[in-house]
Amino acid sequence: MRLSQMLFVTLRDDPADAEIPSHKLLLRAGYIRRIGAGLYAYMPLMWRVLQKVSQIVREEMNATGAQECLLPQLQPAELWKESGRWDTYTKAEGIMFALTDRRDSQVALGPTHEEVITYVARDMIRSYRQLPQHLYQIQTKFRDEIRPRFGLMRGREFIMKDGYSFHADEESLKKTYQDMYQAYSNMLRRSGLAFRPVEADSGAIGGSGSTEFMVLAEAGEDEVLYTEDGQYAANVEKAVSLPADAEPSPFTNYEKVETPGTETIEKMCTFLKCSPTNVVKNVLYQASYDNGMTVLVLVNIRGDQEVNEVKLQNELTKVASQYGASALLKLVVPDADAQSKWAAKALPLGYIAPDLTDDHIKSAKDIAPKFLRLVDKTAVDLKNFATGADTAGYHVVGANWNEQIKLPDITVDVRKARPGDRAVHNPQQTIQSARGIEVGHIFQLGTKYSQAMGATFTNEQGEEKPLVMGCYGVGVSRLAQSAVEQSYDKDGIIFPVAIAPYHAIICIPNISDAKQVEAAEQLYTELNKAGIETLLDDRNERAGVKFKDADLIGIPFRIVTGKALANGKVELVQRKTKETQEIAIEDVVPTLKQWIQEAIK
Amino acid sequence: MRLSQMLFVTLRDDPADAEIPSHKLLLRAGYIRRIGAGLYAYMPLMWRVLQKVSQIVREEMNATGAQECLLPQLQPAELWKESGRWDTYTKAEGIMFALTDRRDSQVALGPTHEEVITYVARDMIRSYRQLPQHLYQIQTKFRDEIRPRFGLMRGREFIMKDGYSFHADEESLKKTYQDMYQAYSNMLRRSGLAFRPVEADSGAIGGSGSTEFMVLAEAGEDEVLYTEDGQYAANVEKAVSLPADAEPSPFTNYEKVETPGTETIEKMCTFLKCSPTNVVKNVLYQASYDNGMTVLVLVNIRGDQEVNEVKLQNELTKVASQYGASALLKLVVPDADAQSKWAAKALPLGYIAPDLTDDHIKSAKDIAPKFLRLVDKTAVDLKNFATGADTAGYHVVGANWNEQIKLPDITVDVRKARPGDRAVHNPQQTIQSARGIEVGHIFQLGTKYSQAMGATFTNEQGEEKPLVMGCYGVGVSRLAQSAVEQSYDKDGIIFPVAIAPYHAIICIPNISDAKQVEAAEQLYTELNKAGIETLLDDRNERAGVKFKDADLIGIPFRIVTGKALANGKVELVQRKTKETQEIAIEDVVPTLKQWIQEAIK
């Protein structure tokens, strides 16, 4: 392609609303244009990158025997009601766009396709003889994001490959899951990315095991916890670890002490001269379920620890049926507004005891008709601990479970693991932290959707069983941007060769110089003929502008038909290293061929 | 691909809700599955067909220098308000899905992308030096169809290639339009379709000239009028022709005659012993504009002719500004409901005169505050004609324009051309009719959108001018189904080689026969290695079932590793002709290579 004929416009300055380097660079280099909040036009260069990523994804998927298809983007609400996800996806924090069509039917814009594919499978799969099956698609998805940002990272439209597999048993699922683990690793490696597979929470998708593929980058929205020995890596939402041991308690006798102005753990420990590890901290939440039920939740946790809200949500989801609900819609964390509501019900915030009295529960009934207490495992082992006395300005010290305060039979893990903790698999290993961009996520769904939607098959024994499912997603547009986030310098993007829009760019320093033009045109023809995708910068611009643009858009190899032509040579510049060499014209094609092969092998 | 591993299910019976052969066949052969009204899953075989069509489209577009991109499917309402199309596309008969996002902004699901691309061009194109430009995309579009039907033909989601070109002047536009005419002809020819380019109405897209590419098929929703000499072809919505001459009038004197019970032209002509060509027919309509204005419209037309409502809508759109409106929203044709409303206003239906009296206009003011009379050219030349007397049960005969009834200065063409008419370019040629499926449509838009949205550039003289635009659409999914509509037999689909999901299918008649399996496996490997896309039917099914399925899904060439193996041969069957021959195993690859090359050249 000739730049003179391309719709090619670069910006000198960083666009105002772009927050992270890759977003700024993609806008400045003209790869994307903003059309609305979280909505971007993929311009011709970007589209080439996305096509290359898609092709790598497709090749890796096909190699596993998965079959490409395309499912509708509009999805009838009935399917989501069958699976039980309509409310969670459309109400409260729901991120699904929904609309009413001209016949007054509700339809949704697909953020994911478990329902549609299960509907197809229910229709088509009857017997174990048809299994396993794995269908995938590469498609634009929609999410009504609360705060679209970071360009393609968190857009309202994004391109995803999503695949769904169907199995007769868990063993077959696990095999495909392993194949996908490998295929996803291959995709990211072939795209030229540094990444890490991590254990992950399954979130609204559900199922048992799941792995996220994290591209490592400072601007990543996710925190990954890992150990140096490479034996453990998990999303912080899912991570487990061993906290530091509690210090010995300075308290020997149980007593209620006046502790004015000590609403925080820090103030209280200073006042009582104890460690936060001697404290049972009691945190209030409010949970809303899909049947309208609201539950007041009190978590007991060791004073130096934080509650992991994702783990807490999972616990609250597990008990949904106790409240006649099928899904948790929303967890209200104790913000100022919630706190003042609770304080108005005479809950002594900052001094709450590990359990609420019947009076408190009763007085808070119009906020939440039900009450649930959850005790984190970190609180269980404490002896002679300090905690709230259920009276403003007072704490108790030297307390013990089942002496002054009842300990329920069931305790939970709702604790946030953090760097510096010891690893569970080997306490010698210390937990480390890194930032990551979640680019892929693979799930062992099990029978969650097939059971809800009645997608069954007849097994070898002639019994009707629900299909065992897996699902596997990779963000194609997100992967493309994460490559930029991982690879740029002060002059612009440094695209990995495998997904760069073009391999090479020929710059003609002076288009009035017939010799320069002639050499460039000839190379342009030869390179493209040799399968080396080449841009020709034949614009009537100064050489400096052309070099700046070539650097900004990040084409791996730049060829300059300049002064060296006198010696039958051109200048060859590697974008990544800025290494420059003069090379005989006839050596350009074989040299680039070799460099490209080495880069994408 | 092995059929035993594919999600491959064919149906024995025609699905209940499929109306046309291609829809039935695609469902029966398992190419598509219905997910909701007008919503289909493209199963793996269908997806391969669509990918092949897309690739042909892409190659033809790229050859013209057009650049592929991808624009968002969600479009901010503001852009459609700028162009003035929001109301026409979302209200009344509007076919655009619209929704309100979580920030209470209106967004639409793109049925077309003039607004988005003009917004991009406004932002990026500043100078004539950047022109011409042509961007295109291959994308799923959305239409909230009143009556989704015929499978992919009129779905609520469909895949389209839409391209938009920008020019400094009309001459440059015309060149690209010609290039697109050629590219579209190439696409359809290469896809193996019989088609006809026809003059077309530009409809809601607007602009001056436009050409539709019609795939000829009985089940086509469109009527094409053409002449045998190949000099004329047009969509009936747009077509012009010369009607048969009027017969001499039997009336010599003007008089009002009692004609009881003659509300139709037929009854009236029988009663008065005259030809419909002696009659001026007066038809009432009701037009609603986007500013809420309603206009009562009376059309005078020769009695044997019909009103072309598309032409009438265009005339009513032209005069929108007279009523302070910018677009026509709806044209109500005189259905029973409208008729009874009008009758209640004492309009003597069946006996209406060529003009309404002031009293009539006044009495109908609450139906329509404005009144417009349009005279079709076919009515103008009539002498001594018969027409309504403005009194129920009475007509006038022997009337003449500007004697008894005023003829306005401006007359229009709102007449429907029809088969049997004479051609305008050569009255010796008779107009013929055929059914067609509109698969492509190319438009010379001019400055409609650039002017409305302020997308300007600086020309060579330094003046700021609106960009001159063209747009070009081809229905990828519709094209694929129209290929089936044009090519099937009692046994199933006969896919053109160029867009068939696979070139060949190997059927193993008996999978317990090791020799059959061995020969088939070897051929399967060799064929795929040679680039001949081959399916292997290795299912544990009877030979008859396999042959039936192979015929149903329409793979061009079938190879049977059966009895002939004893002589080192296999059976080779051509799907289209059912021609069968035995051929030496080693000749299979070269023979198929040659056949495929011949078929797609």
Side-chain angles (χ1 to χ4, degrees):
Chain A
M1 186 84 207
R2 291 162 193 277
L3 276 193
S4 64
Q5 288 170 18
M6 205 168 125
L7 187 51
F8 179 71
V9 178
T10 56
L11 309 175
R12 202 166 299 179
D13 300 313
D14 277 341
D17 59 344
E19 293 148 288
I20 57 172
S22 55
H23 186 196
K24 287 177 195 169
L25 285 168
L26 288 175
L27 282 167
R28 273 189 57 205
Y31 278 80
I32 57 176
R33 289 269 154 173
R34 186 180 181 278
I35 304 297
L39 303 173
Y40 290 87
Y42 307 122
M43 300 303 292
L45 286 179
M46 189 73 214
W47 186 240
R48 288 180 70 96
V49 174
L50 293 170
Q51 290 283 76
K52 289 193 174 188
V53 174
S54 297
Q55 189 53 28
I56 291 172
V57 168
R58 187 172 280 135
E59 285 168 15
E60 292 298 332
M61 292 304 294
N62 292 350
T64 70
Q67 303 156 61
E68 189 169 354
C69 67
L70 192 72
L71 304 171
Q73 291 174 300
L74 287 173
Q75 307 187 359
E78 294 78 53
L79 298 182
W80 288 76
K81 287 174 181 165
E82 276 192 50
S83 76
R85 290 204 296 180
W86 178 257
D87 283 350
T88 35
Y89 267 74
T90 57
K91 288 184 194 159
E93 302 300 312
I95 45 67
M96 187 159 69
F97 288 105
L99 59 90
T100 302
D101 69 13
R102 68 190 314 146
R103 299 128 154 241
D104 277 332
S105 296
Q106 285 179 300
V107 279
L109 280 175
T112 183
H113 276 73
E114 284 80 11
E115 282 77 3
V116 172
I117 198 79
T118 306
Y119 175 80
V120 170
R122 176 171 75 190
D123 186 23
M124 295 183 78
I125 300 177
R126 296 288 153 89
S127 156
Y128 71 95
R129 275 188 239 99
Q130 293 171 279
L131 296 173
Q133 288 293 342
H134 186 171
L135 293 177
Y136 76 96
Q137 56 176 351
I138 299 175
Q139 185 187 54
T140 295
K141 305 281 185 201
F142 303 90
R143 282 174 67 103
D144 195 0
E145 287 286 351
I146 298 172
R147 200 181 149 208
R149 56 184 173 157
F150 304 147
L152 312 184
M153 293 291 191
R154 196 161 285 285
R156 299 201 294 172
E157 270 188 45
F158 51 96
I159 303 176
M160 256 191 84
K161 186 285 293 178
D162 50 327
Y164 306 87
S165 67
F166 299 91
H167 309 268
D169 52 39
E170 287 284 335
E171 195 184 324
S172 168
L173 166 62
K174 285 215 162 67
K175 188 191 166 308
T176 297
Y177 186 79
Q178 275 311 315
D179 287 350
M180 282 302 109
Y181 190 99
Q182 191 55 53
Y184 273 49
S185 299
N186 293 348
M187 286 171 201
L188 293 173
R189 180 185 48 71
R190 286 182 58 190
S191 301
L193 295 168
F195 68 97
R196 197 188 282 275
V198 306
E199 286 178 24
D201 181 71
S202 303
I205 301 291
S208 50
S210 90
T211 302
E212 282 170 346
F213 289 80
M214 291 284 185
V215 168
L216 302 173
E218 268 313 305
E221 284 191 282
D222 283 286
E223 186 180 357
V224 171
L225 299 185
Y226 66 98
T227 54
E228 287 290 347
D229 64 0
Q231 297 298 302
Y232 186 72
N235 190 315
V236 69
E237 293 177 351
K238 169 80 173 181
V240 292
S241 65
L242 305 173
D245 290 334
E247 292 182 27
S249 173
F251 309 114
T252 45
N253 295 318
Y254 177 75
E255 56 181 324
K256 181 171 174 180
V257 290
E258 188 170 4
T259 54
T262 63
E263 285 83 2
T264 66
I265 297 286
E266 199 191 343
K267 285 180 188 163
M268 168 197 174
C269 289
T270 307
F271 189 94
L272 291 172
K273 298 191 177 62
C274 69
S275 151
T277 62
N278 306 134
V279 176
V280 170
K281 178 165 71 174
N282 307 304
V283 194
L284 276 174
Y285 292 89
Q286 191 179 315
S288 309
Y289 286 95
D290 59 351
N291 60 344
M293 174 64 73
T294 305
V295 178
L296 194 64
V297 179
L298 181 65
V299 177
N300 304 161
I301 192 168
R302 201 173 80 182
D304 62 322
Q305 301 297 321
E306 299 298 325
V307 174
N308 177 331
E309 276 155 20
V310 173
K311 289 185 180 176
L312 178 57
Q313 282 169 19
N314 290 341
E315 293 298 330
L316 293 170
T317 299
K318 280 188 208 161
V319 297
S321 61
Q322 285 181 23
Y323 305 112
S326 59
L328 177 72
L329 275 191
K330 200 173 167 182
L331 179 68
V332 176
V333 302
D335 62 3
D337 188 47
Q339 294 207 11
S340 71
K341 261 203 302 186
W342 297 341
K345 296 296 169 190
L347 292 177
L349 296 181
Y351 303 93
I352 285 182
D355 206 349
L356 289 193
T357 63
D358 288 347
D359 277 355
H360 283 326
I361 295 170
K362 216 163 149 190
S363 76
K365 268 226 160 37
D366 60 335
I367 297 181
K370 299 279 177 183
F371 170 70
L372 175 70
R373 176 182 168 208
L374 291 171
V375 184
D376 182 73
K377 293 188 194 305
T378 53
V380 174
D381 293 333
L382 294 187
K383 310 261 182 245
N384 293 317
F385 54 80
T387 193
D390 194 28
T391 314
Y394 287 86
H395 283 91
V396 295
V397 300
N400 283 289
W401 295 119
N402 294 330
E403 291 177 13
Q404 298 81 18
I405 305 155
K406 234 193 108 195
L407 188 67
D409 292 341
I410 299 170
T411 57
V412 294
D413 171 21
V414 292
R415 171 187 161 266
K416 196 169 186 175
R418 55 192 179 195
D421 289 346
R422 289 161 298 140
V424 174
H425 75 282
N426 176 358
Q428 300 297 105
Q429 289 283 325
T430 305
I431 297 288
Q432 316 273 329
S433 168
R435 304 300 301 180
I437 300 163
E438 182 201 340
V439 161
H441 201 162
I442 62 178
F443 299 85
Q444 295 180 42
L445 292 177
T447 57
K448 172 175 171 173
Y449 296 91
S450 52
Q451 242 163 353
M453 296 180 66
T456 59
F457 71 104
T458 307
N459 72 8
E460 242 175 306
Q461 289 73 44
E463 303 156 332
E464 202 174 330
K465 294 277 180 191
L467 289 159
V468 178
M469 291 173 59
C471 83
Y472 320 96
V474 60
V476 169
S477 43
R478 190 183 268 200
L479 187 158
Q481 183 173 335
S482 73
V484 178
E485 192 59 41
Q486 209 173 59
S487 177
Y488 65 91
D489 64 14
K490 67 176 180 15
D491 298 320
I493 300 168
I494 305 171
F495 258 116
V497 176
I499 64 171
Y502 288 89
H503 298 127
I505 179 166
I506 304 170
C507 293
I508 310 173
N510 176 3
I511 64 156
S512 323
D513 183 331
K515 277 193 187 146
Q516 289 190 6
V517 173
E518 193 195 347
E521 291 281 351
Q522 197 183 327
L523 271 172
Y524 178 59
T525 307
E526 282 173 14
L527 284 163
N528 278 311
K529 201 184 277 175
I532 298 168
E533 300 162 15
T534 306
L535 277 174
L536 177 63
D537 192 348
D538 57 346
R539 293 175 299 165
N540 186 10
E541 294 283 359
R542 285 178 299 109
V545 169
K546 296 185 179 187
F547 298 161
K548 264 197 152 63
D549 277 344
D551 280 353
L552 179 59
I553 64 176
I555 306 298
F557 308 112
R558 186 212 306 167
I559 301 149
V560 185
T561 57
K563 284 174 295 187
L565 280 180
N567 309 318
K569 292 186 171 181
V570 293
E571 209 179 70
L572 202 51
V573 187
Q574 301 191 43
R575 173 66 186 89
K576 192 171 181 175
T577 58
K578 295 284 176 80
E579 216 174 288
T580 303
Q581 61 194 95
E582 290 188 353
I583 184 170
I585 292 179
E586 58 271 24
D587 291 339
V588 172
V589 170
T591 304
L592 283 184
K593 254 194 164 158
Q594 195 194 325
W595 287 357
I596 292 166
Q597 257 167 20
E598 276 166 16
I600 65 178
K601 76 179 169 203
Chain B
M1 186 85 207
R2 291 162 192 276
L3 276 192
S4 64
Q5 287 171 20
M6 205 169 124
L7 187 51
F8 178 71
V9 179
T10 56
L11 309 177
R12 200 165 301 178
D13 300 312
D14 277 340
D17 59 344
E19 294 147 288
I20 58 172
S22 55
H23 186 195
K24 287 178 193 168
L25 286 168
L26 288 175
L27 282 167
R28 273 189 56 205
Y31 278 80
I32 57 175
R33 289 269 152 174
R34 186 178 181 278
I35 304 297
L39 303 174
Y40 290 87
Y42 306 122
M43 300 303 291
L45 287 179
M46 190 72 214
W47 185 239
R48 287 180 71 97
V49 174
L50 293 170
Q51 290 282 76
K52 289 193 175 189
V53 174
S54 297
Q55 189 52 29
I56 291 172
V57 168
R58 187 171 281 135
E59 285 169 14
E60 292 298 332
M61 292 303 293
N62 291 350
T64 70
Q67 302 155 61
E68 189 170 354
C69 67
L70 192 73
L71 305 171
Q73 291 174 299
L74 287 173
Q75 307 188 359
E78 293 78 55
L79 298 182
W80 287 77
K81 287 174 181 166
E82 275 192 54
S83 76
R85 291 205 294 181
W86 179 256
D87 284 350
T88 34
Y89 268 74
T90 56
K91 288 185 194 158
E93 301 300 313
I95 44 68
M96 186 158 70
F97 287 106
L99 59 90
T100 302
D101 69 14
R102 68 189 316 147
R103 298 127 154 243
D104 277 331
S105 295
Q106 285 179 302
V107 280
L109 280 175
T112 183
H113 276 74
E114 284 80 10
E115 281 76 3
V116 171
I117 199 77
T118 306
Y119 175 79
V120 170
R122 176 172 76 189
D123 186 22
M124 294 183 79
I125 301 177
R126 296 288 153 88
S127 155
Y128 71 95
R129 274 188 239 99
Q130 294 171 278
L131 295 173
Q133 288 292 341
H134 186 172
L135 293 176
Y136 76 95
Q137 56 177 349
I138 298 174
Q139 186 188 51
T140 295
K141 305 282 186 201
F142 303 90
R143 282 174 67 102
D144 195 359
E145 287 286 349
I146 297 172
R147 200 180 150 209
R149 56 183 173 157
F150 305 147
L152 312 184
M153 293 291 191
R154 194 161 286 286
R156 300 201 294 171
E157 270 188 47
F158 52 97
I159 303 175
M160 256 191 85
K161 186 285 294 175
D162 50 327
Y164 306 87
S165 67
F166 299 90
H167 309 268
D169 52 40
E170 288 283 336
E171 195 185 324
S172 168
L173 166 60
K174 286 214 160 68
K175 187 188 167 308
T176 297
Y177 186 79
Q178 274 312 314
D179 287 351
M180 282 302 107
Y181 189 100
Q182 191 55 53
Y184 273 49
S185 300
N186 294 348
M187 286 171 201
L188 294 173
R189 181 184 48 72
R190 286 182 57 191
S191 300
L193 294 168
F195 68 98
R196 197 188 282 275
V198 306
E199 286 178 26
D201 182 71
S202 302
I205 301 291
S208 49
S210 89
T211 302
E212 283 171 344
F213 290 79
M214 291 286 185
V215 167
L216 302 173
E218 267 312 305
E221 284 192 282
D222 282 284
E223 186 180 359
V224 171
L225 299 185
Y226 66 98
T227 54
E228 287 290 346
D229 64 359
Q231 297 298 300
Y232 185 73
N235 190 314
V236 67
E237 293 177 350
K238 169 81 175 180
V240 293
S241 65
L242 304 173
D245 290 335
E247 291 182 26
S249 173
F251 310 114
T252 45
N253 295 320
Y254 177 75
E255 55 181 324
K256 182 172 173 178
V257 289
E258 190 169 3
T259 54
T262 62
E263 285 84 2
T264 67
I265 296 287
E266 198 190 343
K267 287 181 185 162
M268 168 196 171
C269 290
T270 307
F271 188 95
L272 291 174
K273 300 190 176 62
C274 68
S275 149
T277 62
N278 306 134
V279 176
V280 169
K281 177 163 72 174
N282 307 303
V283 195
L284 274 175
Y285 291 90
Q286 192 177 313
S288 308
Y289 286 96
D290 59 350
N291 61 344
M293 173 64 72
T294 305
V295 178
L296 194 64
V297 179
L298 182 65
V299 177
N300 304 160
I301 191 167
R302 202 173 78 181
D304 64 322
Q305 301 297 321
E306 298 300 324
V307 175
N308 177 331
E309 276 156 22
V310 173
K311 288 185 181 177
L312 178 57
Q313 280 169 19
N314 291 341
E315 292 299 331
L316 293 171
T317 298
K318 279 188 209 161
V319 297
S321 62
Q322 283 181 25
Y323 304 112
S326 60
L328 177 72
L329 276 191
K330 199 174 168 183
L331 178 69
V332 175
V333 302
D335 62 2
D337 188 46
Q339 294 207 13
S340 71
K341 261 203 299 184
W342 297 340
K345 295 297 169 188
L347 291 178
L349 295 182
Y351 303 92
I352 286 183
D355 206 351
L356 290 192
T357 62
D358 288 348
D359 276 356
H360 283 325
I361 295 171
K362 216 163 145 190
S363 76
K365 268 227 160 33
D366 61 334
I367 297 182
K370 297 281 177 183
F371 170 70
L372 175 70
R373 175 182 168 209
L374 291 171
V375 183
D376 182 73
K377 291 186 195 306
T378 52
V380 175
D381 293 333
L382 294 188
K383 311 264 182 242
N384 294 318
F385 54 82
T387 194
D390 196 29
T391 314
Y394 288 87
H395 282 91
V396 295
V397 299
N400 282 291
W401 295 119
N402 294 329
E403 291 177 13
Q404 296 81 19
I405 304 156
K406 235 194 107 194
L407 187 68
D409 292 340
I410 298 170
T411 58
V412 294
D413 170 22
V414 291
R415 171 187 161 266
K416 197 170 183 174
R418 55 191 179 196
D421 289 346
R422 290 161 298 139
V424 173
H425 74 283
N426 176 0
Q428 300 297 104
Q429 289 283 324
T430 305
I431 296 288
Q432 316 273 329
S433 169
R435 304 301 301 180
I437 300 162
E438 182 200 342
V439 160
H441 201 163
I442 62 177
F443 299 85
Q444 295 179 43
L445 292 178
T447 57
K448 173 175 170 172
Y449 297 91
S450 52
Q451 240 163 357
M453 297 180 66
T456 58
F457 71 105
T458 307
N459 71 9
E460 242 176 309
Q461 288 73 46
E463 302 156 334
E464 203 174 329
K465 294 278 181 190
L467 288 159
V468 178
M469 291 173 59
C471 83
Y472 320 95
V474 60
V476 169
S477 42
R478 189 183 269 199
L479 188 159
Q481 184 173 335
S482 72
V484 178
E485 193 58 43
Q486 210 171 58
S487 178
Y488 65 90
D489 63 16
K490 65 176 183 14
D491 298 320
I493 300 169
I494 305 171
F495 257 116
V497 175
I499 64 171
Y502 288 87
H503 297 128
I505 180 166
I506 304 171
C507 294
I508 309 174
N510 176 4
I511 64 157
S512 323
D513 183 331
K515 275 193 189 147
Q516 287 190 7
V517 173
E518 193 195 348
E521 290 281 351
Q522 197 182 327
L523 271 172
Y524 179 58
T525 307
E526 282 174 14
L527 284 163
N528 278 310
K529 201 184 276 175
I532 298 168
E533 301 163 14
T534 305
L535 277 175
L536 177 63
D537 193 348
D538 57 345
R539 293 176 299 165
N540 186 9
E541 294 282 0
R542 284 179 298 109
V545 170
K546 294 186 181 189
F547 298 161
K548 263 199 153 61
D549 277 344
D551 279 353
L552 179 60
I553 65 176
I555 306 298
F557 308 111
R558 186 214 304 168
I559 302 150
V560 185
T561 58
K563 284 174 293 185
L565 279 179
N567 310 317
K569 292 187 172 183
V570 293
E571 209 179 69
L572 202 51
V573 187
Q574 301 193 42
R575 172 66 185 88
K576 192 172 179 175
T577 57
K578 297 282 175 83
E579 215 174 289
T580 302
Q581 61 192 99
E582 289 188 354
I583 183 171
I585 293 180
E586 58 272 24
D587 290 340
V588 172
V589 170
T591 303
L592 284 184
K593 253 194 165 159
Q594 195 195 324
W595 287 358
I596 292 166
Q597 257 167 21
E598 277 167 15
I600 67 177
K601 79 181 167 200

